[in-house]
Amino acid sequence: MSAAHDLVVVGAGPAGAAAALAAADAGLDVLVVDEQRAAGGQILRTTPPEFGGRRKLPTGYPWAGELLDRARSHPGIAWRHGATVFGILPVTADASSAGGADASAGPGSADGADASAGPASAGFDVLTSDPADPAGSGRVRARRVLIASGAYDMPVAIPGWTLPGVMMAGAVQGFLKSQRLRVADRVVLAGSHPLLLIVADQLLAAGARIEEVAIARGIPSPVELLRALPAVPGHVRLLGELAGCVLRLLRAGVRISTGTVPTEVLGDGRVQGVRLARADRGWRQTGPARTVEADALVLGYGFHPSTELARQLGCALDWDSAQGGWIVRHDAQLETTVPGVHVAGEPSGVAGAEQSRAEGELAGLTIAAALGRPVPERALAGARRRIRSASRFSGVVQRMFAPRREALLELATPATEICRCETVTRSTIDGFLDENPFAGTADAVKLACRSGMGPCQGRYCESAVAGLVAKARGTGVGEAGRFAAHIPVKPVPLQAYVALADDPAEVP
Amino acid sequence: MPDAEATSGRAARLPSERGEPAEITVDGRPVGCFAGETVATAMLAAGVPAFSHRNGEPRIPLCNMGTCFECGVTVDGVPLTRACLTTVRDGMRVETSER
Amino acid sequence: MSERYDSIVVGGGLLGAALAWMLAREGARVALLERDQLNQHASGQNAGSLHFQLEYRMVEHGWESARTAAEAMPLHLEAAREWAALGDELGESLGVAQQGGFMLAETAEQVEVLRRKTALEQEWGLDVRLLDGDEARRLAPYLSDSVLAAAFCPLEGKADTRIAGPALARGALRLGAEVRTRTEVVDLVPAGSGWAVHAVERSEAGERRLRLEADTVMLAAGVWTTRLGQLLDVSLPTIPLALMMSVSAPTAPFVPHLVQHAGTKLSLKQTGNGTVLIGGGWPARLPLAADGTPDLDSRPTLLQSSLVGNAAAAIGVVPRTASLPIVRSWVGTTTVTPDQLPLVGQVPGRPGVFVATGGSAFTLGPSFARSLIALADGRPPGIDLHPYDPARFERLSHARR
Ligand SMILES: Cc1cc2nc3c(=O)[nH]c(=O)nc-3n(C[C@H](O)[C@H](O)[C@H](O)COP(=O)(O)OP(=O)(O)OC[C@H]3O[C@@H](n4cnc5c(N)ncnc54)[C@H](O)[C@@H]3O)c2cc1C
Ligand SMILES: Cc1cc2nc3c(=O)[nH]c(=O)nc-3n(C[C@H](O)[C@H](O)[C@H](O)COP(=O)(O)OP(=O)(O)OC[C@H]3O[C@@H](n4cnc5c(N)ncnc54)[C@H](O)[C@@H]3O)c2cc1C
Ligand code: FES
């Protein structure tokens, strides 16, 4: 195992890159780990170097190129790409003595517990796995960790959503941006998040036929628009981009329907059509459904923060639907409830690239200060100001596009697979809740029905499972709770555990 | 408007600079691709109808960012390797999985 | 006003659920009180091994302690019979499969341990036999060439920990028992000829205090047993052990047996869903409370050394596991006692209150339940329970005071 880094950052998106740069500028020795091949996170994904050509970053984020270039060339920052952080273990003073608690507790051994509670002052072991390069597997010691793991597209279980050809907006955009691949020919997009329009526009430019864009919400009311105005200064470019998308789509004759939800995906072995229906202001289906033929359905209802590492570490989370669901509790310094573990970007609440970057900067600075590096108050104030400014805009976006989760849940019929991995249907879960009146949490359903036990670790069914529990028991989703997360937060081969040994000779 | 490589429903490569041509096998069949592509791109562009089956149902990538594991395939003997995060290498052996 | 029951069961793990079901079957009016959700602790977190051979933890400390541990054999023999019939009696599957279990040796020393262990178990009447490596591999082709010998017990197997406890609780419900979750027992006081059980029920709306009365109270609180003993001012000594388990993604069936090891901590099996469960007693770190005692309400942390050790042990004897994708490694906390024998019987000096815990209490849960109900009824239990009498520690602790 190599010597300890001052800071290990998980995620090389705007948040992680900005944090690494701020921390390294302040003198810290930083390692950034990301399972993607290159820095940039979701939003700044570009084609691989093998493709040659010029790097094309999205417009609207003028700081992006400089941030990535400066971070990548900074001597204080090491990078490990293509490696997955599958867990983080707090290191306690005695952890070097193999074994810790004595499980065997034979006769005479007084106690199986270990005298080692309290804050994890000795730092963390960050566990990584890289199937392509065993040298990238193992563990790295860190004095502090920053979780900047971003967000993923919010799953919405509708009948037929497991058919090949149903893809998340982020997936489709990722294929376009970083692989120059158009996933299908004739496409229906359904959702509520502004990203949906951007993806529709990009697909159009890539030669796809956009059969329809179905937006769940109605057209913003004048009151909403007025309320949004104060947030716009500084973000004019982004709004302009969105308006441009809509204009191009309309000019190409694309049908953009508001107040419309997808009720079923049709097809035999792959997507062949999508049923769409009118919905009321609460997104509940009102009219009969009609069929639109298509090869793909693209879903874009917003984002869920990636909180698995924070959960696995035992950080407290709070339920906040508009901010993406379960978000990691943190203080003004972006430190979580586990001392030494910080969070920046989407896991602190989904708020977009601008705010992610500002949070990363603040986290990097405050971690440097906590580790005794001089950090000018001016720099801290600047980062805080940028967060405030970005959050005015993101707050409006959140309010305007907040998903109506109860209505989306009702798109799932009894036969709809809620848990894709373990193929658990809604009727199985509802049936369990009926027959087991004593069960009232998402975790209880997970244990009994296996929903959430598959390779995606529950990322794609947790919100629906919790929603069903909340509905059956008449409680809030927050009380129905969330799935616990365990090591590995993303599946790894058993042999990756063996690679955690200090040296191979240690392996029994 | 750029012309894509293929039509009729399936995924298509857009005209763009790409890496050197390469070849992988998927369930023993050769699949041509380009250096720098992910296994997911190569398989989608080749029209592979299923990366895996669950309960007999075909599945292909859903998230393309490493979170859903729907693209899990066996790569050079390692099961549940995410095709969307794995870059092709000439001669790579990919097997779709039955779960 | 308080509600009156024949029996109140404290704790909704496997033991509590089995007690509630068996009591309800006998026509008793029963309430089961669980402060969390059912089956969320050791009973839902354990390996689900139905093991009847002595475990590694019992043989690793020398022969003297192995002999003591073997005194639990009558309970195990009864458990083997119980599990074989339980699903049918309940009318619901508990995922029981008894296709035999191996205990493996990879060194000459371990072969010797197996030889002595097998002889000892045979004396107690267990059906177990010693195989050489090739004989074992003929039955179990997945075993590596490093296996020199194996003790094979055809009775051993597994049950599904996810479903066994809740299925028994549903059975109890069907027979009229009450099952209350999010209800914590906070005090136990004598009331007339029986007991008053004070509990707190928690919900989003807040807390509600309950007072329930019963002729008998059954403590099925697993690792929290000592704490409940304190409510009664009685010493019920237990030692909490935080242990790690791992599970793989489903894979085609290849391990029908239970696999254990005589020289290292290992248990390995494949469930009905195709997942491979790997454990065997590798420790996790239990946090300590401010007063230095184990904090049973906080989540223990995994140890890197256990991740390495358990994986290496599994890959060593079943090489195919190396590439299996692991989906989860978690920690559960279980109870052992200072002398490795379970606690089963009446709480000393507290007539009407019964307790059982300690050791492989998933395997033994149904036998524990059967025995306690017999004791409470004043019937002779099927087996001699004296070695497990909780009073043996009462005497010790009085001597210490
Ligand atoms: C397709 C897409 C388009 C978007 N478009 C916009 C937009 O136009 N405007 C906008 O404001 N927002 C957009 N968003 C929201 C977006 O998430 C954020 O704006 C921005 O990317 C957040 O930055 P971040 O640094 O917090 O996270 P991300 O950019 O998501 O970066 C997180 C990184 O962490 C890595 N990671 C996560 N877990 C692990 C792990 N366990 N091990 C190793 N690496 C890990 C990921 O690979 C990823 O690279 C979009 C999101 C997506 C998915
Ligand atoms: C990782 C691991 C692997 C194991 N493997 C095996 C194995 O393979 N085979 C085997 O036989 N055994 C195994 N065991 C042991 C076995 O799991 C336990 O002995 C058994 O499950 C105990 O069951 P229980 O019902 O007594 O306790 P538990 O399942 O712990 O249930 C006790 C319940 O009491 C509740 N409770 C506590 N206090 C109160 C209160 N005041 N009021 C209300 N409710 C309360 C708790 O919330 C809990 O739900 C293993 C244990 C672990 C941790
Ligand atoms: S497509 Fe979701 S993990 Fe690859």
Side-chain angles (χ1 to χ4, degrees), chain A residues 92 99 101 103-104 114 116 139 436 438-440 447-448 450 453 457 479 485-488 491-492 494-495 497 500, chain C residues 37-39 60-61 162 170 181 204 241 273 281 283-285 288 299 303-305 312 321-322 324 326-329:
Chain A
T92 36
S104 47
D114 205 332
S116 57
R139 64 201 161 105
N436 298 272
F438 43 76
L447 187 63
R450 299 193 58 80
M453 287 198 165
Q457 322 276 44
E479 201 193 351
H486 302 278
I487 286 176
V492 297
L494 184 61
Q495 61 208 2
Y497 282 3
L500 301 175
Chain C
Q37 299 278 300
L38 296 189
N39 210 38
E60 71 170 327
H61 293 288
R162 293 189 306 106
R170 276 194 298 278
T181 49
E204 213 168 14
L241 292 181
N273 301 302
R285 178 178 290 109
L288 295 185
R299 196 161 130 187
L303 295 172
Q304 163 261 344
S305 50
T321 55
L324 280 183
I326 297 301
V327 178
R328 253 182 322 283
S329 295

Side-chain angles (χ1 to χ4, degrees), chain C residues 24 28-30 171-178:
Chain C
R29 190 162 142 63
V30 192
L173 272 186
R174 285 195 292 269
L175 296 171
E178 279 177 35

Side-chain angles (χ1 to χ4, degrees), chain B residues 61-64 66-69 71 82 84:
Chain B
L62 176 72
C63 76
N64 189 29
T67 53
C68 77
F69 283 76
C71 65
R82 285 166 288 173
C84 72

